[in-house]
């Protein structure tokens, strides 16, 4: 047991190198730290030989295909003298790394969704996942898997006593002996996100409810630490008794005996915080930098580095400075005061330099009188939106359709919603017919579910009391659903345009090549079969007679035989022909016979085109076939039954440099979202959500691909069963990013998702 008198922590050094959020930290030793990032890499940092205060990147570990989160260290052994590292990722895999050469020595695949936690249990690795399971891995093999919670499992930890503890989005923690649940811990009001051992006392939990709890293994809460103003993502403890926590509120807080003794401010969210054995602290920040903090005088950074960090914090805060809940740079300038007010005492807030200044309209003097500078209160206080310089409780985005632009609707809780609706309709020159719809929208989005009408109100259009159709004017109005522009998605999309002449030409060319090769002559089509392919194309071209035309069963068999027999590089034109054939009602009914038996030829095709030597043309045409299958209800059961197999097979398409393939894959996800919502398939919806989020997070994703993935996410949240899971997936940050896009439709669907998140 070490005894560290508390002194204020100060910056020791910064670990710069990641291109995106630093998500996780693993303290291998006091001289070696590993960090994981949203940039898909892991970096290993080693203590400098010249300056013992600093760490430098010694290795970059590349292997995950999506952002990397939890890390765990395996001690050195004869075979691995520098030890190994375990990592979990959004790509659903757990990787084990050799720290000598930075190579992957084990790839553990079995989770269906994001891996959220990894811990060591003797020689075993135990992982947790959003797929609600815990899995045990031994010598690179899955040996146990069990459903640990009814919601995503967010963290797992080995306790010194030998048991495992898990934390979940269902707000509970569970104690495990093997696969047996010994005890359930309740008390948190939201997702349990982080876990840590508290030496000699029990264990700690960090929660989205903003609190940290210290638990005895018996289930008793020994301490509750409240001080963060947002989600707490991580917690760790030191032998000295100090505790550190990291939060969305941009602070790492240090706790002693349950009291916060220091807050370390960061220029972004603090995803993780860990103690070194020395008592120094490492923090992981969303600005892509990990930082080490110390109380030891000889280890503190140079004053120039400290000043640079303080300046960074100041600049960050200034860039986010809000006045009345609105960013300073979004306030109108002084020219807004050239317009006269509409009522005596009306207020406007305008930007003057680095401040927001309030003015009031003086009706008798016909001028704006300066009131003074507007200063926000503590975090979240005064966070009220501004429109045209005036502050409101709400400023809603209203889409009235018909190609009209989005309108801004201001509203205060003290306003009568009918009065507010009428004034707004007059101002916007909109028909009175919209009135009830606007009132319902206000009631729903301002949380007034039991609004009682004031009978003294007079309708400015009729002079009469307001009338709510179908009920007395004093009754509570029924809230309407919020107005969304792009969600939920109705119906499915298909790829229904084909270059038939090009397909025929390519198939003929490939067939001639096979025929002239003695080793492959037997794989080529006969003249009669080539002629039959021409007949198939003729039927498919005549779309206006699809209702009256038929294929022979041998037509389907011929195309499938070609796909199975021809070399991979020659398959794609035949697959493309099948893509169009499944849009023909009779063609689809014949193809289903070849998939609903023990010899599922379509699954065989999927396996063949996604093997190690997968060719983009084969992947593209096959994904498009699957997309088009959704058009025919007879394939819906097959698509649902094999959703996991299909999505796993094409999971790497989300980051393909081939934009057509990326678009086809995002369309597949969107169609799956529509189908699995209809089928109420929660497990399937969760897998589609996870895959769609990968595209939404991809910076270089094609605009249409990103749009379709966002529509899938919003639809699943609105009408599916995975809204809670999506919030745990940090969909809010994805919505914010979408709203800042330069593409209008991305901004609009981002706003849809943002509005949906805020709905109860």
């Amino acid at each position: 047991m070490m005894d560290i008198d508390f002194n204020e922590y100060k910056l020791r050094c910064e670990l710069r190198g990641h291109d995106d959020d630093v998500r996780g930290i693993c303290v291998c030793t006091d001289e070696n730290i590993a960090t994981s990032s949203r940039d898909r890499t892991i970096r290993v940092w080693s203590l400098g030989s010249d300056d013992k205060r600093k760490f430098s990147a010694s290795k970059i570990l590349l292997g995950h295909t999506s952002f990397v989160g939890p890390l765990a260290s395996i001690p050195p052994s004869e075979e691995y003298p520098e030890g190994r590292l375990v990592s979990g990722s959004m790509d659903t895999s757990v990787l084990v790394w050799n720290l000598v050469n930075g190579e992957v020595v084990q790839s553990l695949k079995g989770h269906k969704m994001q891996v959220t936690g990894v811990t060591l249990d003797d020689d075993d690795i135990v992982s947790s996942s959003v797929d609600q399971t815990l899995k045990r891995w031994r010598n690179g093999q899955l040996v146990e898997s069990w459903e640990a919670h009814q919601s995503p499992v967010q963290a797992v930890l080995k306790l010194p006593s030998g048991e495992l503890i898990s934390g979940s989005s269902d707000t509970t923690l569970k104690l495990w002996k093997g696969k047996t649940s010994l005890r359930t811990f309740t008390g948190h009001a939201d997702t349990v996100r982080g876990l840590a051992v508290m030496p000699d006392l029990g264990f700690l939990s960090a929660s989205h409810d903003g609190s940290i709890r210290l638990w005895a293994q018996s289930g008793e809460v020994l301490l509750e630490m409240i001080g963060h103003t947002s989600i707490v993502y991580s917690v760790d403890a030191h032998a000295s008794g100090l505790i550190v926590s990291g939060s969305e509120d941009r602070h790492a807080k240090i706790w002693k005996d349950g009291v916060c003794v220091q807050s370390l401010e960061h220029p972004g969210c603090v995803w993780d915080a860990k103690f070194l054995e020395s008592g120094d602290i490492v923090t992981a920040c969303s600005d892509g930098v990990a930082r080490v903090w110390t109380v030891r005088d000889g280890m503190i950074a140079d004053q120039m580095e400290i000043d640079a960090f303080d300046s960074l914090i100041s600049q960050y805060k200034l860039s986010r400075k809000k006045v009345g809940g609105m960013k300073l740079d979004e306030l109108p300038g002084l020219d807004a005061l050239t317009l006269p007010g509409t009522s005596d005492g009306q207020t406007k807030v305008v930007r003057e330099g680095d401040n927001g200044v309030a003015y009031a309209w003086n009706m008798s003097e016909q001028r704006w009188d300066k009131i003074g500078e507007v200063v926000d209160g503590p975090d979240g206080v005064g966070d009220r939106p501004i429109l045209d310089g005036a502050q409101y409780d709400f400023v809603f985005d209203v889409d009235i359709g018909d190609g009209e632009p989005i309108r801004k609707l201001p509203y205060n809780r003290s306003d009568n919603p009918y009065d507010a609706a009428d004034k707004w309709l007059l101002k916007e020159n909109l028909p009175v017919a919209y009135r009830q719809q606007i009132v319902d929208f206000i009631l729903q989005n301002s949380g007034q579910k039991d609004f009682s009408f004031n009978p003294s109100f007079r309708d400015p259009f009729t002079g009469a009391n307001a009338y709510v159709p179908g009920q007395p004017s004093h009754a509570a109005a029924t809230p309407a659903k919020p107005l969304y522009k792009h969600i939920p998605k109705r119906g499915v999309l298909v790829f229904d345009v084909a270059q038939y002449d090009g397909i025929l030409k390519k198939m003929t060319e490939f067939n001639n090549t096979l025929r002239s090769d003695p080793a492959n002559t037997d794989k080529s089509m006969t003249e009669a079969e080539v002629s039959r392919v021409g007949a198939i194309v003729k039927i498919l071209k005549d779309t206006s007679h699809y209702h009256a035309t038929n294929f022979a069963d041998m037509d389907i068999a011929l195309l499938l035989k070609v796909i199975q027999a021809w070399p991979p590089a020659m398959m794609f034109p035949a697959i493309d022909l099948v893509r169009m054939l499944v849009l023909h009602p009779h063609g689809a009914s014949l193809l289903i016979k070849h998939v609903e038996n023990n010899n599922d030829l379509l699954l065989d095709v999927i396996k063949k085109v996604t093997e190690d030597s997968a060719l983009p043309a084969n992947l593209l045409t096959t994904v498009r076939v699957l997309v088009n299958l959704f058009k025919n209800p007879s394939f819906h059961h097959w698509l649902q039954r094999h959703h996991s197999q299909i999505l796993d097979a094409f999971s790497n398409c989300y980051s393909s440099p081939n934009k057509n393939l990326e678009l086809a894959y995002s369309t597949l996800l969107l169609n799956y979202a529509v189908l699995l919502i209809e089928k109420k398939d929660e497990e399937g919806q969760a897998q589609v959500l996870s895959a769609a989020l990968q595209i939404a997070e991809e910076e270089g994703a094609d605009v249409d691909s990103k749009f379709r993935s966002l529509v899938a996410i919003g639809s699943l949240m609105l009408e599916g069963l995975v809204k809670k899971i999506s919030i745990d997936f940090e969909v809010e940050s994805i919505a914010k990013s979408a709203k800042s896009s330069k593409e209008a439709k991305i901004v609009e669907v981002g706003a849809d998702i943002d509005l949906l998140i805020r709905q109860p």
Side-chain angles (χ1 to χ4, degrees):
M1 174 80 71
M2 297 178 63
D3 186 18
I4 300 178
D5 291 333
F6 182 75
N7 295 310
E8 283 214 343
Y9 278 84
K10 295 182 179 178
L11 183 68
R12 172 178 164 182
C13 64
E14 294 185 323
L15 313 183
R16 292 183 173 271
H18 284 296
D19 296 327
D20 211 332
D21 299 44
V22 184
R23 294 297 300 262
I25 299 164
C26 180
V27 176
C28 305
T29 68
D30 259 24
E31 297 187 355
N32 290 283
I33 300 167
T35 55
S36 62
S37 171
R38 191 180 285 271
D39 67 11
R40 307 177 188 174
T41 71
I42 300 162
R43 288 178 179 256
V44 180
W45 310 83
S46 300
L47 196 62
S49 55
D50 298 330
D51 189 343
K52 292 298 182 182
R53 294 174 301 176
K54 299 182 183 298
F55 289 83
S56 58
S58 58
K59 292 182 182 69
I60 301 176
L61 309 183
L62 303 170
H64 282 296
T65 59
S66 187
F67 77 73
V68 193
L71 300 171
S73 175
I74 302 177
S77 63
E78 269 190 43
E79 187 178 359
Y80 301 102
E82 290 189 20
R84 286 169 291 166
L85 192 70
V86 184
S87 60
S89 168
M90 178 81 170
D91 65 14
T92 76
S93 71
V94 176
L95 299 183
V96 182
W97 308 82
N98 181 352
L99 289 180
V100 172
N101 54 22
E103 292 181 355
V104 175
V105 293
Q106 290 174 350
S107 180
L108 312 180
K109 296 185 181 294
H111 282 297
K112 294 181 179 178
M113 300 184 72
Q114 177 185 351
V115 178
T116 54
V118 289
T119 193
L120 301 180
D121 188 3
D122 297 327
D123 292 331
D124 295 346
I125 296 168
V126 178
S127 55
S128 63
S129 170
V130 175
D131 65 15
Q132 305 181 10
T133 68
L134 291 173
K135 294 187 187 294
R136 180 181 296 276
W137 312 86
R138 185 174 299 152
N139 299 322
Q141 301 297 316
L142 179 63
V143 293
E144 274 188 327
S145 179
W146 67 99
E147 186 171 295
H149 292 263
Q150 295 302 306
S151 292
V153 189
Q154 295 290 352
V156 63
L157 177 70
K158 167 76 176 293
L159 298 178
S161 57
E163 291 88 353
L164 295 171
I165 191 82
S166 60
S168 168
S169 295
D170 64 12
T171 76
T172 71
L173 301 92
K174 286 182 182 290
L175 185 69
W176 302 91
K177 188 72 173 178
K179 294 169 63 173
T180 303
S181 176
L182 302 178
R183 185 173 290 112
T184 299
F185 301 78
T186 59
H188 279 299
D190 206 333
T191 295
V192 178
R193 189 59 175 265
L195 298 169
V197 171
M198 185 72 189
D200 302 322
L201 284 175
F203 59 90
L204 296 152
S205 60
S207 171
H208 284 201
D209 65 14
S211 74
I212 301 123
R213 289 183 173 226
L214 171 60
W215 306 80
Q217 219 161 296
S218 61
E220 181 186 357
V221 178
L222 304 177
L223 274 176
E224 184 174 20
M225 288 156 271
I226 297 175
H228 284 292
T229 58
S230 189
I231 292 170
V232 187
Y233 288 116
S234 61
V235 65
D236 195 30
H238 188 261
S240 65
L242 291 181
I243 293 167
V244 65
S245 54
S247 168
E248 177 79 23
D249 66 11
R250 302 190 299 105
H251 288 84
K253 288 187 179 291
I254 300 154
W255 309 81
K256 186 175 176 64
D257 300 325
V259 176
C260 179
V261 291
Q262 189 180 359
S263 289
L264 301 173
E265 188 171 11
H266 286 67
C269 164
V270 181
W271 287 112
D272 200 3
K274 291 282 194 301
F275 280 105
L276 296 174
E277 188 177 346
S278 63
D280 287 3
I281 292 170
V282 189
T283 56
C285 185
S286 61
D287 70 345
V289 181
R291 294 176 174 87
V292 185
W293 308 81
T294 188
V295 294
R296 297 178 290 166
D297 288 341
M299 303 299 285
I300 296 171
D302 295 334
Q303 190 59 46
M304 186 180 297
E305 294 173 83
I306 292 173
D307 290 345
F309 177 72
D310 290 343
S311 175
L312 180 66
I313 293 291
S314 297
Q315 290 170 14
Y316 180 82
K317 289 166 73 172
L318 187 62
S319 72
R320 294 170 58 87
K321 183 175 180 180
K322 290 187 175 182
V323 177
M326 194 172 191
K327 285 186 179 179
L328 181 68
D329 56 8
E330 293 177 357
L331 286 175
L334 285 169
D335 55 351
L337 301 178
T338 59
L339 299 173
T342 56
S343 61
D344 196 43
Q346 178 190 350
T347 60
K348 271 191 179 183
V349 181
V350 298
R351 184 180 68 254
E352 291 186 20
D354 290 337
N355 298 304
V357 180
Y359 287 82
W361 179 247
N362 185 326
M363 184 66 82
S364 60
E365 300 289 334
Q366 289 289 295
R367 71 178 185 214
W368 291 99
D369 292 333
K370 188 172 184 176
I371 300 173
E373 183 180 335
V374 178
V375 181
D376 271 0
D379 286 351
V381 178
D383 189 21
R384 298 173 67 218
I386 288 174
L387 181 65
D388 299 329
Q391 193 175 50
Y392 297 90
D393 291 331
F394 305 95
V395 175
F396 301 119
D397 288 334
V398 181
D399 177 13
I400 61 173
D402 302 323
E404 292 286 329
I406 299 290
R407 313 290 181 99
K408 297 288 184 182
L409 167 58
Y411 178 71
N412 288 314
R413 290 186 182 91
S414 58
D415 293 343
N416 183 294
Y418 290 94
D419 192 11
D422 291 333
K423 288 179 179 177
W424 184 75
L425 291 170
L426 277 171
K427 176 178 178 291
E428 296 289 339
N429 195 29
L430 293 171
V432 184
Y434 285 138
R435 184 186 195 222
Q436 189 58 47
Q437 187 179 3
I438 295 301
V439 169
D440 290 343
F441 176 82
I442 291 172
L443 293 174
Q444 174 68 24
N445 289 283
S446 61
Q448 299 180 84
K449 297 185 177 179
D450 299 306
F451 168 74
S452 296
F453 176 67
N454 181 351
S456 66
F457 174 71
R458 289 292 179 269
D459 187 327
F461 293 100
T462 65
N465 284 7
Y467 169 64
V468 180
Q471 54 185 297
S473 62
H474 63 273
T478 304
K481 290 184 178 180
L483 301 175
Y484 301 105
K485 189 170 183 68
H486 295 289
I487 60 174
K489 176 72 177 76
R490 303 296 187 196
V492 297
L493 301 176
V494 295
F495 292 99
D496 56 1
V497 176
Q499 301 295 328
Y500 288 112
D501 293 341
I503 293 173
L504 269 179
K505 181 180 179 182
K506 188 59 71 173
M507 286 189 72
T508 303
E509 175 190 320
F510 286 159
N511 194 60
N512 291 337
T513 300
L514 292 171
R515 186 177 294 171
S516 61
D517 180 359
N520 288 307
T521 301
D522 59 326
K523 297 177 182 177
S524 63
M525 293 186 291
T526 65
E527 289 298 333
E529 288 174 332
V530 171
S531 176
R532 193 58 216 167
V533 171
I536 293 171
V537 167
K538 187 176 180 181
I539 294 172
L540 292 175
K541 277 185 173 182
D542 190 9
T543 54
S544 61
H545 290 92
Y546 270 14
H547 63 285
T549 53
N550 287 316
F551 295 96
D553 190 55
M554 62 174 287
D555 295 337
I556 311 298
L558 171 61
L559 292 177
L560 292 175
K561 185 186 85 169
V562 167
I563 293 169
Q564 288 176 300
W566 283 15
M570 297 181 175
M571 292 167 56
F572 66 89
I575 299 174
D576 212 23
L577 210 50
V578 173
R579 166 178 70 93
M580 301 307 297
L581 186 139
V582 300
L583 295 177
H584 187 291
H586 187 244
S589 67
L590 291 177
L591 180 64
I592 196 74
K593 297 176 184 177
H594 293 269
V595 300
E596 289 194 332
N597 55 39
N598 294 329
N599 184 27
D600 191 326
L601 297 182
L602 201 47
L603 287 181
D604 289 344
V605 171
I606 292 171
K607 183 178 180 182
K608 186 174 180 181
V609 302
T610 55
E611 286 173 346
D612 291 341
S613 57
L615 301 172
N618 289 344
L619 292 173
L620 175 62
T621 49
T622 306
V623 173
R624 285 176 169 177
V625 169
L626 294 169
V627 167
N628 287 1
L629 289 179
F630 286 86
K631 188 73 173 176
N632 195 304
S634 62
F635 278 94
H636 287 181
H637 177 67
W638 182 87
L639 286 162
Q640 183 185 8
R641 189 167 77 245
H642 296 293
H643 77 267
S644 184
Q645 196 172 351
I646 290 168
L647 294 177
D648 286 346
F650 296 99
S651 60
N652 290 331
C653 295
Y654 82 95
S655 59
S656 172
N658 184 318
K659 297 304 179 186
N660 289 328
L661 176 55
E662 188 183 61
L663 180 63
Y665 177 63
S666 64
T667 310
L668 176 67
L669 296 179
L670 182 54
N671 282 358
Y672 255 126
V674 172
L675 174 65
L676 297 175
I677 288 171
E678 178 190 331
K679 300 294 185 183
K680 295 181 171 57
D681 183 338
E682 183 174 2
E683 186 272 331
Q685 290 175 28
Q687 188 175 2
V688 174
L689 175 70
S690 177
L693 285 166
Q694 285 188 305
I695 298 177
E697 283 199 323
E698 189 74 15
E699 285 189 11
D702 170 72
V703 171
D704 289 326
S705 300
K706 182 167 285 195
F707 175 72
R708 291 182 185 185
S709 70
L710 288 167
V711 171
I713 292 165
S715 300
L716 288 165
M717 290 174 66
L718 180 60
E719 295 203 330
L721 304 167
V722 291
K723 182 177 179 181
K724 174 74 172 172
I725 293 175
S726 69
I727 292 172
D728 288 332
F729 267 141
E730 298 141 31
V731 73
E732 185 173 3
S733 65
I734 289 173
K736 286 180 181 176
S737 175
K739 287 170 66 179
S740 64
S741 170
K742 295 179 181 178
E743 299 291 336
K745 63 183 181 181
I746 301 291
V747 173
E748 290 166 357
V749 72
D752 282 350
I753 294 172
D754 188 55
L755 176 58
L756 180 56
I757 292 169
R758 291 185 274 111
Q759 297 306 307

